[in-house]
Amino acid sequence: MVRLPDRSGARSHRRPGGPRARRASVRAHGVHGQRATRTPAGVISRRRAQAGESEPGRFGALRSALTGRSIARQVFVLQVVIVLLLVVAAVVALYLQARHDSTQEARNRSVAVAESFANAPGTRAALTAPHPTAILQPRAEAARKATGVDFIVVMNTDGIRYTHPKPDRIGKKFVGTIAPALAGHTVTEEINGTIGRLVQAVVPIRAPDNKVVGLVSAGITTKNVGGAANRQLPLVLMAAAVGLALATAGTALVSRRLMRQTHGLGPDEMTRMYEHHDAVLHAVREGVLIVSGEGRLLLANDEAHRLLDLPTDAEGRHALDLGLAPDTAELLASGRVATDEVHLVKDRLLAVNQRPTDLEGGPPGAVATLRDSTELRALSGRAETARERLDMLYDAGVGIGTSLDVTRTAEELAELAVPRFADFATVDLFEAVLAGGQPEGSTSVRRTALSGVREDAPLYKVGRQTKFVDTSPQARSLRSGQAVLEPDLRVAPGWHAQDLERTAQVVEYGIHSLITVPLRAGTLVLGVVSFWRSDRPDPFDAEELALAEELVTRAAVSIDNARRYTREHSMAVTLQRSLLPRTLPDQSALDIAYRYLPAQAGVGGDWFDVLPLSGARVALVLGDVVGHGLHAAATMGRLRTAVHNFSALDLPPEELLALLDELIGRIDQDETTDDSAPVIGATCLYAIYDPVTRNCTIARAGHPPPALVRPDGTVDFPDVPAGPPLGLGGLPFETAELTLEEGSRLVLYTDGLVEDRERDIDEGLALLRGALERSGESPEETCRTVLDSQLPAKPSDDVALLVARTRALPADHIAEWQVPPDPAKVAEVRASVSRRLDAWGLDELAFTTELVLSELVTNAIRYGADPIRVRVLLDRTLICEVFDSSSTSPHLRYAAMTDEGGRGLFLVAQLAERWGTRYTPEGKVIWAEQPLP
């Protein structure tokens, strides 16, 4: 918190009026009057002496309070009135309740007596007797006296009485309503009779056939029922007396409390004191707040309302619920001591002083005063602005350049500047920079990033290629290498010249100020950054121009680093892709599909190859050099070249891997002597597939095992011996022989497909098995399914995938003969081959084929060993092979004029497209290929 020195000055003597201020003042003093109006006892005595008053005793004070025009007297009178009203209301309610209860009781008793007498034994029979009165009158009188009713009258259906308490009324017509009773209903009614107000009931007397044969009426006066009201009235009056006594005692207690709190001051003195306090409280320039111990606002003067912008109903609410800033609300609610603490409240800096009110035994709470420190606003605003700018520059150092991508780095710069510095920000880079190069002589830029508070701004969109005119601020920044400020775009003709229609739309949209800063990395200018302002009415100034330069300077370093990385990465990718096969060679043994995906972090050393071999065979190669970067890519190229050379020798897979292992060791030694990073090693898998026998020979050096998808869709991982990675040296490699059904798919891959930081290789192989089981039959569908399910979003390693579906050479395209070691049998072989070529429709090749086979078979008989075998294959070429058990290999040479031999092999080389020798466990094979016509 900033501490302000104590200040003094003239204060306003304006006394604000209005009921709100007066109510707040009275309410506050009513609660804390004893502290605010604390007056010495001597002063009060002098005031009383001047008024001619004597010191009253305890009872005299009470008598004075009750007889004078005081609050206690008013309260006492009000309590007496309330008690009297309650007593009157209770008496009225008691009377009405008693009357209602009496009437209801009379109804119930008269109905019960009438129904009981009507249903009594002998009542109905007496109606049919010659003298009903003689029978019924004694019974009715006895029942009347027993039940306490005033009369029981039995009458016929015409209403003529048979009985009555007064005999002179027997034989006369009944006074009352009997029609409903004749219809079989019970009738009750209230009437005013000769004996008073009574309730009578009329019930029917029914014959066995439910016919009404007579009526019985019973009645009772209401005064003979009840009497509870008379018993309850004394209790009500007694309660009223107790209430008056309590009211008197309460008034006495209130009077004593008021006298003690006001120190004996009368109403006039209290009113005058409150008026003085109210005038002072609301006239001072400082805001005053009184907060209770619970944190509720008890009082706020007019200045406090203005400074804090308090709601009209602020008094009585908790300080945390007044909508204040968190630090200000916390200070008021805590009640802690504060001296000139500066708080930012909306656009004001307030110096707050706060002291508790209970230091000398007063009530719990606190009093806070507020001063508007206007002279510190400008200084504080500048300090806050400087802090925000430092924060933005710090965030720029942390948040710009998180990735080595030129476009993303430009986007981070634009996103950071909006809306903290500008309402819109655009980044334009030279085309060469986006590709990792240097902008040499280029004049056009491409919009790389755009960020704004809204998306409908009429600025050039991302991807737009633009050439700035010489008078535009962007062109001047690029040309001079300095930032340019355009405070008012409406009067900037150089900027308008860029695009009259577009610039008019920009101005109409509300964009009014512009700063352009070149992106400079050393002496190299990479592009230009433009900051636009629209929502804030004030234009950019010189301080903001300096901030923009600092911000762009920091971002330029990150963009240049990303450019350099892009260049190196592009070079590495170009080198790597140039070392990988562009197209696959033509062959008939396998249907091939492949995928190669470089890692996000950099170029790796994965490679693959498909190499046609002699005898229609095909070699599949998949390798992975450990590490990333140009060194790994270069090593991969050397290994791939070596595999090409070694495969030309028709070596078995295990021998080829042994030669590669030796080569890696030599490369490692060479690199170590040059003080560069040694090659840690590499993995490789080498497989040879023969479409004639459908055999596949596989060997691997530290590489993941291949997957085999059989024609029925089942997936296996053949048990291929895992040799050591290339470069370790000293350990042999083993092979596995597989017989593949036609239509089987052999899946080769690098470890980047099945292994990464989040999963091990066992989990990756399980996922690969599931993907292969779901894939289609074609190699392309297999590649697509595997990559869709296996490839992570951002692979950390290269991924190479090779899928080969096997084919078998048809049996009718294969011809084979055993040759006895007799030169005379060569003619028979030529004849047999001619017949087979005729069957294949290759008569044109018969002559050259006979010459080739004659020479090869003759050499085998002369220099080779038994057994000798000839095989002819019809594939993309016509392949002639001669097998023998010897390990000696013929060599092509020029024969001298005096030599008797040595010309046959030269003739074979001239007639055949390719020829060569390969070795087998049983001997060797000399082969020659001729193109088909």
Side-chain angles (χ1 to χ4, degrees), residues 659-725:
L659 293 176
L660 287 179
D661 182 56
E662 183 180 354
L663 175 64
I664 288 291
R666 291 199 302 269
I667 294 176
D668 198 0
Q669 293 176 0
D670 295 341
E671 295 292 344
T672 304
T673 57
D674 293 340
D675 295 331
S676 60
V679 177
I680 299 176
T683 65
C684 184
L685 186 146
Y686 190 83
I688 297 177
Y689 174 70
D690 188 350
V692 178
T693 61
R694 293 185 287 106
N695 287 337
C696 183
T697 306
I698 305 176
R700 61 189 180 108
H703 204 79
L708 178 61
V709 184
R710 303 189 184 278
D712 59 359
T714 58
V715 179
D716 294 326
F717 291 94
D719 186 14
V720 179

Side-chain angles (χ1 to χ4, degrees), residues 460-482:
Y460 291 141
K461 301 302 179 183
V462 174
R464 169 73 178 266
Q465 188 172 5
T466 307
K467 182 177 181 181
F468 292 113
V469 298
D470 294 338
T471 59
S472 66
Q474 290 85 353
R476 284 184 284 158
S477 294
L478 293 173
R479 185 171 57 252
S480 63
Q482 302 295 326

Side-chain angles (χ1 to χ4, degrees), residues 812-830:
D812 57 353
H813 285 202
I814 304 172
E816 192 171 3
W817 301 272
Q818 292 290 335
V819 180
D822 183 1
K825 299 297 183 180
V826 177
E828 296 179 6
V829 174
R830 291 198 300 266

